Amino acid sequence: MLIEPEQLPDGWEVIELQKTFAFDTTGFWGNECSNNQGIKVLRATNFCKDGTLDYSKISIRTFPEKYKPIKLLHNYDIILERSGGSELQPVGRVALFNAGTGYSVSNFMHIIRINSKIALPIYIFYFLDFIYKFGYTKILQTATTGIRNLNYNEYKQTTVLLPPLSEQKQIATVLSSVDKVIEKTNELIEQTKKVKQSLLQSLLTKGIGHTKFKPSPLGEIPESWRYGNFSNIAYINPKNKLNISNEAEVSFIGMADVSENGKIANRVSKPLKEVIKGYTAFIEKDVLLAKITPCFENRKGTIAENLTNQIGFGSTEFHVLRAQKDNDYRFIYYHTITNKFRKMGAYSMTGTAGHKRVPAEFISSYNLAIPPLHEQQQIVDILISVDNTIQKHQEKLSSLQTLKKGLMQDLLTGKVRATNIKLKEDNE
């Protein structure tokens, strides 16, 4: 239990989750729809990381008429993920639906409708989201090959800590206010990422302030630039001469240590003798590029910096790009994260399903416009300033998520009363 009964605030009660239900039902996948006029069906892929729903990619299905009264979503229904998940993402995510009519959920999901005379739907949503983040659903899941299932009978017997309706509303107001700021911060991050991609396209083909251009196979490029490919500015998977002893420490960076936003999330130091065989070697300021699916498509890649003894080893699924003389390694990195490079790279993959890789030949022959070193550095400076802005927003987002997690733990257990929390008018 999250809190002992004798510690409950006055007016609170302990109740089984299912006793707050007005109605619940499994989802339904329906049949194929040929005219795009059917029911919009939400799936686990529509869950966002922040607990909201993405309505941009919806499956359209047809339902028998007899199912429509019981399988269609109502506003303020709670959607529960009953099957799916992964090792790092337990099953049991929840979302609060509020998108109007004509929606349902797939057969891997469950619809829960709350009796508003007993509890507020938004309060129960926050409580279920809390116990998911608290790890409670992990003990209620069973794993089969490639999928996890939630024991729903036990789940609906979950103990809910229920304050009076007036305090439920106060708690929901506090948490919703934080959610609004989180949503705005996410929007700022996505907007800035779009600006960055636009700048990448412009700066890497047209440069800064040029008025004279010349034709090239890429279209018009600045007159002072040259047309070429990666092999003209970078060595692809170069050989290394390591002049250190086998006992010396070097950095080790695995694929899981590289984030999808270009950062090294984790690194360790190991003796050279432990990693010299069976891993990919690189040195300070090399660009690491994931070559295997889906890591490549997910934009995994980074710059190897702050390496122990300026030497690193890592996954064999990295390509290594090393800047040639009079070229900036960061300019090379920014080319590898453009939408064009990633799309063409994904198209060039070879191998069997699940094990497809981007060949080194694709990278070496990838065509680009090459500015002189001083302008490469100017372009990099602009893009770094945009990255710094994104990082600032992401740091704020992380702080907000930590704040919300703490508030959920305090407010939903009664340790802190919502009446004691004062919100700033600007919700920041």
Side-chain angles (χ1 to χ4, degrees):
M1 180 174 287
L2 298 173
I3 189 171
E4 295 300 322
E6 62 269 16
Q7 296 176 317
L8 278 177
D10 291 340
W12 286 48
E13 62 177 315
V14 178
I15 187 173
E16 280 190 356
L17 173 62
Q18 60 187 337
K19 292 182 179 179
T20 69
F21 293 179
F23 171 79
D24 73 307
T25 185
T26 57
F28 183 69
W29 184 228
N31 303 304
E32 288 187 16
C33 181
S34 58
N35 59 12
N36 211 35
Q37 299 295 315
I39 305 299
K40 291 166 278 192
V41 179
L42 296 165
R43 298 174 291 171
T45 52
N46 297 109
F47 276 80
C48 300
K49 291 181 180 179
D50 60 0
T52 57
L53 290 166
D54 177 8
Y55 296 95
S56 63
K57 294 181 180 179
I58 302 289
S59 294
I60 308 296
R61 311 288 290 180
T62 61
F63 282 28
E65 286 299 321
K66 65 178 182 178
Y67 282 166
K68 290 181 180 180
I70 57 173
K71 299 296 184 182
L72 291 182
L73 285 160
H74 294 191
N75 280 341
Y76 305 108
D77 280 352
I78 295 170
I79 301 173
L80 168 69
E81 177 193 36
R82 285 186 58 172
S83 297
S86 65
E87 184 177 350
L88 299 177
Q89 180 181 284
V91 74
R93 291 180 295 172
V94 289
L96 189 67
F97 176 78
N98 194 20
T101 60
Y103 287 85
S104 187
V105 297
S106 76
N107 51 320
F108 278 19
M109 320 290 278
H110 205 91
I111 298 171
I112 298 174
R113 192 164 301 146
I114 301 300
N115 183 342
S116 58
K117 293 181 180 179
I118 298 174
L120 299 180
I122 192 170
Y123 175 84
I124 298 298
F125 159 70
Y126 278 127
F127 193 90
L128 297 181
D129 188 40
F130 168 56
I131 64 172
Y132 174 77
K133 290 182 170 69
F134 195 71
Y136 180 70
T137 60
K138 285 184 181 179
I139 64 176
L140 297 180
Q141 68 177 11
T142 56
T144 58
T145 305
I147 197 169
R148 285 166 167 73
N149 298 299
L150 185 69
N151 187 325
Y152 184 66
N153 285 331
E154 288 191 28
Y155 182 82
K156 64 185 181 181
Q157 295 173 35
T158 299
T159 296
V160 175
L161 306 180
L162 202 63
L165 287 170
S166 59
E167 192 165 356
Q168 291 180 39
K169 184 176 181 180
Q170 290 173 327
I171 292 170
T173 298
V174 173
L175 295 175
S176 293
S177 71
V178 180
D179 275 342
K180 288 177 182 177
V181 186
I182 288 175
E183 183 180 359
K184 289 179 182 177
T185 306
N186 268 320
E187 288 174 357
L188 280 173
I189 291 171
E190 291 308 311
Q191 289 169 4
T192 312
K193 285 181 177 180
K194 289 178 180 178
V195 169
K196 178 181 173 180
Q197 280 297 328
S198 178
L199 280 172
L200 283 168
Q201 170 63 24
S202 173
L203 292 172
L204 297 179
T205 56
K206 302 300 181 183
I208 305 168
H210 289 278
T211 57
K212 295 182 179 180
F213 295 86
K214 63 184 178 182
S216 82
L218 295 172
E220 287 196 335
I221 63 173
E223 198 171 68
S224 60
W225 290 24
R226 59 194 175 99
Y227 169 76
N229 53 47
F230 260 130
S231 66
N232 300 129
I233 63 172
Y235 301 109
I236 314 301
N237 299 322
K239 294 185 181 298
N240 298 278
K241 291 183 179 180
L242 306 178
N243 298 317
I244 59 173
S245 73
N246 279 342
E247 302 298 326
E249 297 271 304
V250 297
S251 291
F252 184 83
I253 301 171
M255 186 64 73
D257 299 324
V258 177
S259 70
E260 293 171 8
N261 61 3
K263 304 296 182 183
I264 300 175
N266 182 53
R267 74 183 85 203
V268 295
S269 293
K270 295 185 178 185
L272 176 63
K273 63 184 180 182
E274 291 185 11
V275 295
I276 196 167
K277 292 183 179 180
Y279 296 102
T280 297
F282 44 87
I283 62 174
E284 189 78 9
K285 298 181 180 179
D286 280 350
V287 176
L288 305 183
L289 176 67
K291 59 185 174 182
I292 192 167
T293 188
C295 298
F296 178 84
E297 296 95 316
N298 291 340
R299 299 176 182 273
K300 281 212 171 194
T302 191
I303 297 172
E305 293 182 294
N306 302 314
L307 302 177
T308 303
N309 287 316
Q310 297 194 317
I311 295 171
F313 283 79
S315 169
T316 56
E317 299 297 349
F318 285 131
H319 281 307
V320 178
L321 287 70
R322 184 171 300 160
Q324 296 180 18
K325 185 180 178 181
D326 294 329
N327 289 281
D328 192 302
Y329 63 99
R330 299 165 299 176
F331 179 80
I332 293 169
Y333 167 73
Y334 279 119
H335 258 292
T336 68
I337 63 171
T338 62
N339 288 335
K340 178 184 176 183
F341 179 85
R342 294 289 169 162
K343 288 179 181 177
M344 291 181 66
Y347 183 77
S348 76
M349 282 183 166
T350 59
T352 58
H355 297 280
K356 289 189 173 183
R357 293 173 174 84
V358 175
E361 293 74 20
F362 161 75
I363 302 170
S364 60
S365 62
Y366 181 80
N367 296 323
L368 41 75
I370 307 170
L373 177 60
H374 75 274
E375 192 168 356
Q376 290 184 28
Q377 293 168 336
Q378 291 173 345
I379 290 169
V380 164
D381 287 342
I382 292 172
L383 294 171
I384 286 176
S385 70
V386 178
D387 278 339
N388 289 339
T389 300
I390 292 172
Q391 183 174 348
K392 182 180 177 182
H393 291 323
Q394 288 173 331
E395 288 171 354
K396 179 181 178 181
L397 178 62
S398 179
S399 296
L400 287 166
Q401 290 168 336
T402 300
L403 170 65
K404 181 183 173 183
K405 190 173 181 179
L407 284 171
M408 291 174 80
Q409 187 162 6
D410 288 340
L411 295 174
L412 295 169
T413 60
K415 293 177 182 177
V416 174
R417 309 302 291 275
T419 52
N420 295 331
I421 295 179
K422 293 182 180 180
L423 299 174
K424 292 183 180 181
E425 290 184 2
D426 61 0
N427 288 329
E428 293 186 0

